[in-house]
Amino acid sequence: MQASHLYAMRCTSPETSASKSGAAKSPLAGERRMLRRLGFDDVLIEKAEAAAQDNGTTIEQELLAEGSVSPETYYRRLAHYLALPFCDELDTNCVTDRPRIDRLLVQPGGLRLEGKDGSTRFAIVPCAKNLAELHWRLSTRPAIRRAVVVTVPSAIRRTVWEVGARRRLSKTIHRLMIWEPRFSARVVFWGKQGFLLGGSVVSFFAGLILFPTETLLLTHLLFTTLYALTLLIRLASVRASAFPVRHSGSIDSDTPLPVYTVMIALYREADMIPQLVGHMKKLDWPTSKLDIKLVCEADDSETIAAIRATPMPPHFELVVVPPAAPRTKPKALNYALSGARGTFLTIYDAEDRPHPGQLREAWATFNAAPGTLGCLQAPLTIGNVGQNWISGLFACEYAGLFRGILPFLARHRFPLPLGGTSNHFRTEVLRKCRAWDSYNVAEDADLGLRLHRLGYHCGVISCETLEDAPVSIRPWIAQRSRWVKGWLQTLLVALREPGRLFSELGTLGCLVFLTNGAGVILSALLHPLLFVALFSTGAMMIHPGHTPSPLHQLLSGVDLANILASYWVFLRLGLSRMRPAEARQMRADALYLPFYWLMLSAAAWKALAELYHAPFLWRKTAHKPSQP
């Protein structure tokens, strides 16, 4: 009986209360009077009230978001008014994990506490709008008053995160596999795929033994043709317009902005925290409508300590992920998704410096688009383009991809290989698709394809995100081999049921996906072999008595054309999308392009080997704060 009375007395959520404005001339008037009674400064109240009217929130939300009043100070005053004890830390041993308790991560209204002696108490988060009514109800029920304490929202969230960790972690890891096994990379090769791959390898070596010349010639002809086909999408992108049309970002002033969740997965990033927090504070979005989650592995003590030592506003939240295999970024993001409060959600990396207006452009684009638009990709731009030839060519590659190829694919609603950061989602769509695959190390490419297979499509926006490229060979190859390995996982998942894939994507969409995915990987793997074929043909031509056949000479000419065309398209597509200042910094780096492609090939062969012996290994890319 006491519990039912308590839940009847609990205040409604601030966002719901703010929307029910028909009864009073000013829905904020009663809240304003209560806050003055509690002793808060009139200047702060008036400033918060103006923000609440603009943002469709409450004075309380704006007062806490502005940062002049700490949550502990604020709720301590509310507890004093109610004559209730205040507690800013809750004992997790007094809380039992229950079904649907994760709802309190989104709206922490109140939590049941069970003592070892069998007693029951309730930790509540009151709100100013209903404080007078709550005070009256508690005054008429002294038995309930003795069982109630006031706490802060962050204390309830911390307790629920810890209490439900084991259940949530298991659900996070196995969610996609249980829902739709055909979409999960948990099993690298399905039985039929293993049989076909093994049969192909055996057939190839049998052909080499029995018919060596014919087998090599046929293989050369096949791979040369496939290599040439991979250039088609890039050639089409070269001819397409350079940038998507920038959305004005204007939003109807009568339409309140929704809550926007920003999730950032961090691992061994202690040095990046000050820079990261600084750039997140620059986002042009009301802080009362921001939900920023810094997601860390539980054993990453240095990063967690750096976060706790950095002063942050209340809309920043640390989410600690219990250690468990697979140790991947998508697993961490899936875990944190349980507490996402936003209608929309975006992903950033530790080194990202997003354009302040990026959230507004994404929201305006979503608002003007049909509900089938599930994701928007912001362009990634390399900030250290002039540091050396690796970063310069990396910047050229990124310019061609994010400002050329992806807008072209989005314009024609082809499957989009998303980047690993600056993806903006409708949170509801993300949850319907079961979010990221915890076992895929290129979770972005996998999710972009899955969205299309489930009837959604992806688009692009123009407000960019700056990040830095690796500047030495070893970390570059480690990062690129992870990407290629993830693409191989994505292709294997997609080709488990080829007929179904063609049905879901359409014939043209499927061919574009295969050309853009398998073709790029194949071209990386084959690139050094083209040089081998060219040199062998040249050696035969200068060696007396070993003149190659006309077909060999023709194939060698095609090989040379493929190499030169690959380099030309790479540079033409990238430079045409770069700003003049970017292009001037990297033009001399074009001389290193053959070495860059050989690095790409080395990464692809490394990824192929890892797919067999370490398919879920996530090779971490080290980051350093960016230089001005």
Side-chain angles (χ1 to χ4, degrees):
M1 180 64 70
Q2 287 185 352
S4 62
H5 282 307
L6 178 65
Y7 285 106
M9 291 188 295
R10 184 189 301 164
C11 61
T12 55
S13 69
E15 291 179 9
T16 304
S17 299
S19 65
K20 297 179 179 178
S21 57
K25 292 183 179 179
S26 173
L28 303 177
E31 186 182 12
R32 180 176 62 246
R33 288 193 299 270
M34 175 55 69
L35 290 171
R36 283 173 175 165
R37 186 182 302 175
L38 292 170
F40 290 103
D41 186 81
D42 280 348
V43 175
L44 292 178
I45 294 174
E46 290 172 5
K47 182 179 178 182
E49 184 176 7
Q53 291 173 343
D54 291 339
N55 299 329
T57 56
T58 65
I59 303 176
E60 177 179 80
Q61 285 178 293
E62 297 297 336
L63 198 62
L64 291 170
E66 196 272 336
S68 297
V69 179
S70 69
E72 290 75 14
T73 299
Y74 180 82
Y75 287 104
R76 193 181 294 275
R77 289 197 190 184
L78 269 61
H80 179 75
Y81 176 84
L82 295 171
L84 292 175
F86 173 77
C87 182
D88 59 358
E89 291 289 342
L90 302 178
D91 185 359
T92 56
N93 295 320
C94 296
V95 180
T96 303
D97 186 28
R98 293 184 173 91
R100 307 186 73 179
I101 195 176
D102 285 354
R103 290 182 298 175
L104 296 178
L105 297 173
V106 177
Q107 186 56 54
L111 186 63
R112 179 172 177 166
L113 308 174
E114 299 171 346
K116 295 181 180 179
D117 57 357
S119 62
T120 299
R121 293 190 305 159
F122 295 90
I124 66 168
V125 179
C127 53
K129 182 175 182 178
N130 297 327
L131 201 62
E133 181 182 0
L134 180 59
H135 182 276
W136 178 80
R137 290 182 179 273
L138 286 172
S139 298
T140 60
R141 295 174 175 84
I144 293 180
R145 177 189 291 276
R146 290 192 293 271
V148 178
V149 299
V150 173
T151 189
V152 293
S154 58
I156 290 183
R157 290 194 182 102
R158 282 195 302 270
T159 303
V160 174
W161 279 120
E162 185 172 346
V163 167
R166 182 175 298 180
R167 166 191 51 80
R168 195 178 304 111
L169 183 64
S170 177
K171 184 178 179 181
T172 291
I173 295 172
H174 303 297
R175 179 191 293 130
L176 185 62
M177 185 71 178
I178 293 173
W179 176 64
E180 193 67 82
R182 69 188 178 101
F183 287 141
S184 174
R186 172 64 183 86
V187 178
V188 179
F189 293 97
W190 274 18
K192 185 186 296 185
Q193 290 178 311
F195 175 79
L196 291 175
L197 181 62
S200 300
V201 172
V202 170
S203 299
F204 174 73
F205 282 106
L208 285 179
I209 295 173
L210 299 176
F211 312 101
T213 303
E214 292 81 357
T215 299
L216 288 174
L217 185 61
L218 181 62
T219 303
H220 191 172
L221 183 63
L222 176 63
F223 284 169
T224 299
T225 303
L226 292 175
Y227 191 102
L229 289 175
T230 62
L231 299 175
L232 292 178
I233 292 179
R234 280 150 181 77
L235 288 171
S237 301
V238 167
R239 296 178 58 86
S241 58
F243 289 96
V245 177
R246 179 183 288 274
H247 199 288
S248 64
S250 60
I251 301 172
D252 188 349
S253 59
D254 295 330
T255 304
L257 294 176
V259 176
Y260 218 115
T261 293
V262 177
M263 295 206 305
I264 307 155
L266 304 167
Y267 187 62
R268 297 177 182 172
E269 301 283 12
D271 294 339
M272 300 297 299
I273 300 304
Q275 173 182 294
L276 173 64
V277 173
H279 283 284
M280 292 301 104
K281 288 180 178 179
K282 294 178 182 178
L283 293 174
D284 182 17
W285 200 264
T287 54
S288 59
K289 294 293 187 77
L290 267 179
D291 169 34
I292 300 179
K293 299 193 183 301
L294 306 179
V295 188
C296 294
E297 295 284 344
D299 56 1
D300 186 8
S301 56
E302 289 187 6
T303 305
I304 293 174
I307 292 173
R308 289 174 173 162
T310 304
M312 297 184 193
H315 61 277
F316 283 78
E317 180 183 9
L318 170 63
V319 178
V320 178
V321 183
R327 301 295 295 269
T328 61
K329 173 184 173 182
K331 184 206 72 176
L333 294 175
N334 281 335
Y335 186 88
L337 183 62
S338 301
R341 297 187 285 118
T343 304
F344 298 94
L345 181 149
T346 188
I347 306 299
Y348 290 127
D349 285 340
E351 79 276 20
D352 286 353
R353 289 99 71 194
H355 187 288
Q358 193 178 110
L359 301 190
R360 286 189 178 265
E361 186 190 5
W363 155 235
T365 306
F366 276 125
N367 207 35
T372 54
L373 178 63
C375 177
L376 290 167
Q377 173 69 61
L380 305 182
T381 302
I382 298 304
N384 61 337
V385 56
Q387 191 163 350
N388 65 11
W389 64 271
I390 296 178
S391 63
L393 290 172
F394 197 111
C396 184
E397 183 180 14
Y398 259 34
L401 175 62
F402 288 99
R403 301 182 229 174
I405 296 174
L406 295 191
F408 169 78
L409 295 176
R411 188 176 300 118
H412 298 283
R413 293 202 176 182
F414 291 138
L416 220 66
L418 300 174
T421 176
S422 303
N423 318 132
H424 297 258
F425 300 96
R426 298 183 193 269
T427 309
E428 180 184 6
V429 171
L430 185 62
R431 286 184 167 130
K432 284 182 178 179
C433 295
R434 301 311 189 269
W436 300 272
D437 183 357
S438 297
Y439 289 93
N440 193 311
V441 296
E443 77 291 342
D444 39 14
D446 168 73
L447 183 55
L449 175 63
R450 194 178 342 128
L451 284 167
H452 278 265
R453 298 186 70 177
L454 294 174
Y456 300 97
H457 68 279
C458 301
V460 294
I461 54 178
S462 56
C463 286
E464 65 190 357
T465 295
L466 286 174
E467 62 177 34
D468 290 340
V471 293
S472 55
I473 294 177
R474 181 173 295 180
W476 188 97
I477 289 181
Q479 182 187 68
R480 192 57 59 99
S481 66
R482 173 170 57 80
W483 293 354
V484 175
K485 181 170 62 175
W487 259 104
L488 288 168
Q489 290 176 306
T490 301
L491 286 165
L492 288 171
V493 167
L495 293 175
R496 286 169 175 173
E497 299 173 324
R500 195 165 183 175
L501 181 68
F502 272 84
S503 175
E504 292 168 340
L505 299 182
T507 301
L508 183 58
C510 189
L511 291 176
V512 168
F513 162 71
L514 292 175
T515 302
N516 198 41
V520 170
I521 296 174
L522 189 64
S523 63
L525 292 170
L526 295 179
H527 194 73
L529 300 182
L530 294 182
F531 283 106
V532 172
L534 279 175
F535 290 145
S536 62
T537 302
M540 292 173 64
M541 292 179 69
I542 63 175
H543 194 281
H546 291 82
T547 303
S549 67
L551 181 59
H552 274 95
Q553 296 181 42
L554 175 63
L555 287 176
S556 296
V558 173
D559 291 340
L560 181 60
N562 278 336
I563 293 173
L564 295 178
S566 298
Y567 295 166
W568 179 84
V569 169
F570 181 98
L571 294 173
R572 179 71 178 84
L573 182 59
L575 288 171
S576 67
R577 268 56 178 180
M578 298 177 85
R579 299 181 182 89
E582 292 177 289
R584 283 195 299 270
Q585 291 184 75
M586 68 77 51
R587 285 188 189 278
D589 299 331
L591 298 175
Y592 292 93
L593 190 55
F595 299 101
Y596 192 83
W597 273 73
L598 291 175
M599 285 167 53
L600 179 58
S601 182
W605 284 102
K606 179 180 177 66
L608 194 63
E610 283 191 357
L611 186 67
Y612 174 75
H613 67 81
F616 314 126
L617 175 63
W618 185 282
R619 293 195 179 276
K620 173 75 173 63
T621 303
H623 301 120
K624 296 180 180 179
S626 60
Q627 299 299 318

